[in-house]
Amino acid sequence: MGNTDYSKYAKLSPFELKDNLIELAQNHTDRMMLNAGRGNPNFLATIPRRAFFQLGLFATTESEFSFSYMPEGLGGFPRPVGLQSRFDHFVMENKDKAGVLFLGKAISYVRDQLGLDPDAFLLEMVEGILGCNYPVPDRMLRLSETIIKEYILREMGVQGMPKEGLDLFAVEGGTAAMAYIFNSLKENKIIDKGDRIAIGAPIFTPYLEIPKLNDYQLEQVLIEADPQQGWQYPEAELRKLEDPTIKAFFLVNPSNPPSVKMSDEGLAILADIVRKRPDLIILTDDVYGTFADQFKSIFAICPNNTILVYSFSKYFGATGWRLGVIALSNQNIIDQKIATLSKKDKKELEERYSSLTTDPSGIKFIDRMVADSRNVALNHTAGLSTPQQVQVVLFALFNMMDSRQDYKNAVKSVVRERDAALHRQLGVESTHDLNAVNYYTLVNLESTSRELYGDEFADWVMKTKNPTELLFRIADETGVVLLPGSGFGVLHPSARASLANLNEYQYAAIGNSLRRFAEEAYEEYLNNRPKRKK
């Protein structure tokens, strides 16, 4: 092993570490770097993308027809009259193209299965993909919101809630959603500096950092998942939420990096806590929910207390699109909290939103988020771009129209087979957990050492090796980039590997590299352990 001093990196955050790890892994030109650090999937949904581009061609032709007397390159707004018949002709002329065939079926599905006006839907999609109008309503296009409501209710396991009971705000991905939510909670006096907020750990590192910012200065209470219980939250940890000084509970479900969904038992405990604490706000990021079997969001059991964030980035391979939604029940606890604020606070908020309506006190929290996202004064320019909203709708329809769920089964199989390949080559058992999602995996330094070479070796590793320094040695000497679990709030020394962004043989290569590294460490251990007296 090399003599490089890696200790200087030990205090960096995971995403600062990532760039340093990549730089080290790329130092050697005689090998391939294997970057399993970031969870950007290398798979994506192609049919809804084909549909998007084909729809764009049709819409552009429609625009040109509107101003056909003008010079080439100048178009107008699409004409509603006869639009459906022209679209039908377009589909018939191009039905051999996968994206076009999907568009034709989507119109039928929207009409026959969702009960929406196909003419109004087509016009919304054509105008939307052209981006020729401001988003109206700014929170989300009307029919687009109706369709995404259906998708969210299905995929998040929500039973018995009518679409009319749900409001959505289309946003630029999950992280934008979090920024908007925290900002509006602060602006609307729901959270204040010094308030206590519970965070389900381990969790995506930036979510540990947001409450500490000067903007918020919140006190964190960690709700620790237990690796010995399959990374579920023990009841004693969840019961911390019964403390009335805790304003909100913030978590990722399924979790990042343990990559497991909250169990039915955990959901039942949380529902009981909410019955005792009807004032508790829950904020859940469910981006990995579509990879889980029989997923049920916390929103499904505590809809009035829960702010649901869902991103289309991972499941559809669309991190570059920045697509997500914030979902709130019409009867949400935050609107109720705003209604009970002091007269002074209410007057201040009425002044803040007075430029939007003659009744600023009646603005719902979700609409306040829209306004706050543009500093209120620029509310008229708020909203996710309409072409992005069209792609969101096509993604959702692609999933809902797939009655056999072929795409879902395929992507779930991809990440699970990668997990199996890594652990097989590492030489340790891959856990079989019904709640596991397998988008990420955590390689536990202690348990892996113990399983490979026994208790004494594991004890020696824990006493002599710095986990973060080990990651740098692994990157430098093997070209494998992993992130430290400690940066995500994992208590035991571990490495997080994304199972989404490399191919199966590369995960097998990572397993081989880690195994060789463990073998070298074991040789070091044998050479340095004290001689036993005869």
Side-chain angles (χ1 to χ4, degrees):
M1 294 185 182
N3 296 316
T4 307
D5 178 16
Y6 303 103
S7 60
K8 61 183 177 180
Y9 300 111
K11 294 184 179 180
L12 294 178
S13 74
F15 296 98
E16 294 292 335
L17 280 172
K18 172 178 62 67
D19 293 335
N20 290 281
L21 287 165
I22 290 172
E23 184 178 349
L24 273 177
Q26 290 176 329
N27 275 343
H28 303 269
T29 58
D30 59 340
R31 68 176 185 218
M32 179 185 297
M33 180 190 71
L34 297 177
N35 182 6
R38 193 171 189 185
N40 194 110
N42 66 351
F43 50 80
L44 51 87
T46 60
I47 291 178
R49 283 175 166 87
R50 286 181 177 272
F52 179 88
F53 295 121
Q54 291 290 343
L55 179 63
L57 293 174
F58 170 76
T60 303
T61 300
E62 283 293 305
S63 172
E64 290 169 343
F65 280 156
S66 293
F67 274 19
S68 58
Y69 64 92
M70 296 294 288
E72 184 178 356
L74 180 61
F77 281 11
R79 298 165 296 166
V81 177
L83 181 63
Q84 188 71 57
S85 63
R86 293 192 298 276
F87 178 75
D88 290 342
H89 178 73
F90 171 78
V91 171
M92 292 300 296
E93 289 291 309
N94 298 277
K95 61 183 177 182
D96 57 323
K97 299 175 181 176
V100 176
L101 186 61
F102 172 80
L103 287 172
K105 292 181 177 180
I107 295 292
S108 172
Y109 184 86
V110 164
R111 179 189 63 233
D112 300 330
Q113 302 303 316
L114 300 183
L116 301 177
D117 182 340
D119 296 312
F121 169 71
L122 180 59
L123 182 61
E124 183 171 293
M125 291 296 98
V126 169
E127 289 185 339
I129 204 164
L130 288 171
C132 56
N133 275 314
Y134 289 107
V136 179
D138 44 23
R139 184 155 56 79
M140 196 167 188
L141 300 176
R142 286 188 176 85
L143 294 179
S144 297
E145 182 179 11
T146 300
I147 292 167
I148 303 306
K149 283 180 182 180
E150 184 74 30
Y151 173 80
I152 290 295
L153 292 173
R154 291 187 191 187
E155 290 300 312
M156 298 297 103
V158 183
Q159 302 289 330
M161 175 183 281
K163 289 192 288 291
E164 296 72 28
L166 187 66
D167 287 324
L168 299 182
F169 174 19
V171 295
E172 305 91 334
T175 49
M178 291 302 170
Y180 294 156
I181 290 166
F182 270 91
N183 180 57
S184 286
L185 287 173
K186 181 191 72 171
E187 294 291 351
N188 285 277
K189 321 292 185 181
I190 304 301
I191 58 173
D192 199 359
K193 291 180 178 180
D195 282 348
R196 306 179 79 210
I197 180 171
I199 299 179
I203 196 169
F204 179 54
T205 309
Y207 293 170
L208 290 169
E209 297 168 348
I210 290 174
K212 299 177 185 177
L213 295 174
N214 285 335
D215 306 57
Y216 307 110
Q217 297 180 30
L218 302 172
E219 179 186 339
Q220 296 183 18
V221 178
L222 294 185
I223 308 297
E224 301 280 3
D226 185 353
Q228 302 304 317
Q229 297 183 33
W231 291 106
Q232 295 298 324
Y233 301 108
E235 181 169 359
E237 288 292 302
L238 288 173
R239 293 292 175 187
K240 291 179 182 178
L241 299 173
E242 293 180 350
D243 182 345
T245 66
I246 294 176
K247 288 284 188 76
F249 178 36
F250 178 20
L251 75 161
V252 176
N253 180 38
S255 54
N256 174 6
S259 207
V260 296
K261 67 177 183 179
M262 199 168 179
S263 67
D264 291 341
E265 292 78 10
L267 291 173
I269 293 167
L270 194 54
D272 180 64
I273 291 167
V274 168
R275 281 192 289 272
K276 296 175 181 177
R277 281 212 55 202
D279 63 320
L280 180 66
I281 297 170
I282 300 170
L283 172 53
T284 182
D285 179 349
D286 291 357
V287 60
Y288 305 105
T290 27
F291 290 90
D293 294 331
Q294 305 299 316
F295 180 67
K296 181 177 286 188
S297 171
I298 293 169
F299 186 85
I301 61 164
C302 305
N304 295 339
N305 292 74
T306 303
I307 306 172
L308 169 65
V309 171
Y310 177 78
S311 168
F312 292 77
S313 61
K314 303 298 172 63
Y315 182 65
F316 294 99
T319 52
W321 259 117
R322 309 314 252 166
L323 306 174
V325 290
I326 301 170
L328 273 175
S329 160
N330 285 340
Q331 307 299 317
N332 69 84
I333 189 66
I334 301 169
D335 283 333
Q336 296 174 36
K337 285 176 178 286
I338 291 173
T340 59
L341 290 172
S342 68
K343 289 184 179 179
K344 176 179 177 294
D345 287 343
K346 283 182 179 179
K347 184 176 181 180
E348 184 179 327
L349 290 175
E350 286 176 9
E351 179 64 27
R352 177 177 177 81
Y353 300 110
S354 62
S355 63
L356 305 180
T357 175
T358 56
D359 181 24
S361 64
I363 301 175
K364 296 187 291 187
F365 178 70
I366 196 163
D367 292 312
R368 296 177 187 224
M369 278 193 285
V370 179
D372 292 334
S373 74
R374 297 297 185 271
N375 290 325
V376 182
L378 297 171
N379 179 72
H380 66 288
T381 63
L384 185 66
S385 77
T386 59
Q388 286 175 288
Q389 294 195 48
V390 169
Q391 185 68 90
V392 166
V393 169
L394 294 175
F395 280 149
L397 288 174
F398 172 65
N399 187 79
M400 291 191 291
M401 291 163 58
D402 183 6
S403 58
R404 297 186 304 181
Q405 294 292 277
D406 288 338
Y407 179 82
K408 176 175 285 191
N409 292 331
V411 296
K412 285 160 65 173
S413 175
V414 163
V415 294
R416 290 170 182 178
E417 288 169 6
R418 292 171 178 179
D419 179 66
L422 188 154
H423 284 89
R424 182 171 59 249
Q425 297 308 118
L426 177 57
V428 299
E429 287 290 327
S430 179
T431 57
H432 298 283
D433 184 346
L434 293 177
N435 294 312
V437 178
N438 300 114
Y439 195 89
Y440 301 102
T441 189
L442 277 170
V443 180
N444 183 316
L445 178 63
E446 182 177 7
S447 63
T448 300
S449 300
R450 198 175 305 282
E451 189 168 347
L452 288 175
Y453 295 111
D455 293 344
E456 290 185 6
F457 172 67
D459 293 341
W460 175 81
V461 167
M462 298 303 293
K463 290 176 183 176
T464 62
K465 302 297 181 185
N466 180 302
T468 301
E469 290 182 37
L470 282 176
L471 293 183
F472 278 90
R473 294 188 69 176
I474 290 170
D476 193 12
E477 297 170 22
T478 70
V480 172
V481 176
L482 305 169
L483 293 184
S486 59
F488 298 85
V490 180
L491 294 181
H492 64 68
S494 60
R496 186 197 82 159
S498 164
L499 296 168
N501 60 317
L502 298 172
N503 293 317
E504 186 175 332
Y505 78 94
Q506 293 170 310
Y507 286 102
I510 289 174
N512 280 328
S513 295
L514 295 179
R515 179 59 183 259
R516 286 197 305 272
F517 197 84
E519 289 170 353
E520 291 179 12
Y522 186 59
E523 287 294 324
E524 182 185 347
Y525 158 73
L526 292 177
N527 292 332
N528 287 280
R529 68 178 179 176
K531 304 288 185 182
R532 291 184 179 179
K533 294 181 180 180
K534 294 183 179 180

